[in-house]
Amino acid sequence: MAPVVDEEALDHVAADPYEFEHTVAALCARDGCTSVKVVGGAGDLGADVLATTADGRRVVIQCKRYAPDHRVGSPDLQRFGGTCWSVHEADVAALVTTSSFTDPALDYAASCGILCVDGPALSAWTASEAPAPWDALPPEPGEQAEATAEAEAEAAAR
């Protein structure tokens, strides 16, 4: 069953940790994902939300509803990094939190391709002021070269 997508379902501020996973799932559904499932809980192997983007990518999300002064650390990212690709077969892996990340956590995430969505980014995503994390990804290196070549060809044609 697809998550309910309404104002209450998207209110991550009022959500408890269990409900927070459902608010993130609702955001995924709102932004075009299908097969959205909340799978968090004991034995989840690091995944709280699984979804499929409109273009077919498998999204695996770990949710951390923390107080503002409880930052997500490198161990949280390392645990998630140990399963998101190999166990859950993610095309896109993201850790979403209501707080922020330590610098070592951000360094680890950058080194292995995990997207980090902090409190302000989550608020912007919720308010539709920022794209969904999987849509904010930079183009793959080959795609970037192709886009650059097309832009140069258009400029030369003018």
Side-chain angles (χ1 to χ4, degrees):
M1 177 167 67
V4 173
V5 181
D6 60 21
E7 191 172 315
E8 184 178 324
L10 299 176
D11 186 2
H12 65 270
V13 175
D16 65 25
Y18 171 76
E19 293 166 337
F20 180 58
E21 295 172 359
H22 289 269
T23 66
V24 173
L27 284 169
C28 293
R30 180 198 71 187
D31 290 349
C33 285
T34 59
S35 305
V36 180
K37 295 180 209 159
V38 176
V39 295
D44 66 15
L45 296 174
D48 292 320
V49 177
L50 302 175
T52 304
T53 63
D55 62 1
R57 292 176 289 164
R58 182 173 175 83
V59 177
V60 178
I61 301 175
Q62 171 74 74
C63 301
K64 296 290 184 191
R65 190 187 186 301
Y66 287 166
D69 62 343
H70 184 165
R71 300 171 77 194
V72 176
S74 184
D76 291 319
L77 268 295
Q78 290 174 23
R79 280 190 294 276
F80 182 52
T83 62
C84 62
W85 310 114
S86 61
V87 173
H88 298 292
E89 299 178 343
D91 294 313
V92 177
L95 196 146
V96 178
T97 185
T98 51
S99 65
S100 61
F101 296 87
T102 64
D103 288 339
L106 292 171
D107 291 343
Y108 176 81
S111 74
C112 61
I114 297 173
L115 302 174
C116 292
V117 180
D118 64 10
L122 174 60
S123 293
W125 179 24
T126 301
S128 297
E129 296 169 354
W134 53 89
D135 288 336
L137 287 171
E140 293 293 320
E143 293 173 4
Q144 182 63 46
E146 184 178 305
T148 301
E150 287 175 11
E152 289 172 355
E154 286 178 23
R158 291 185 203 145

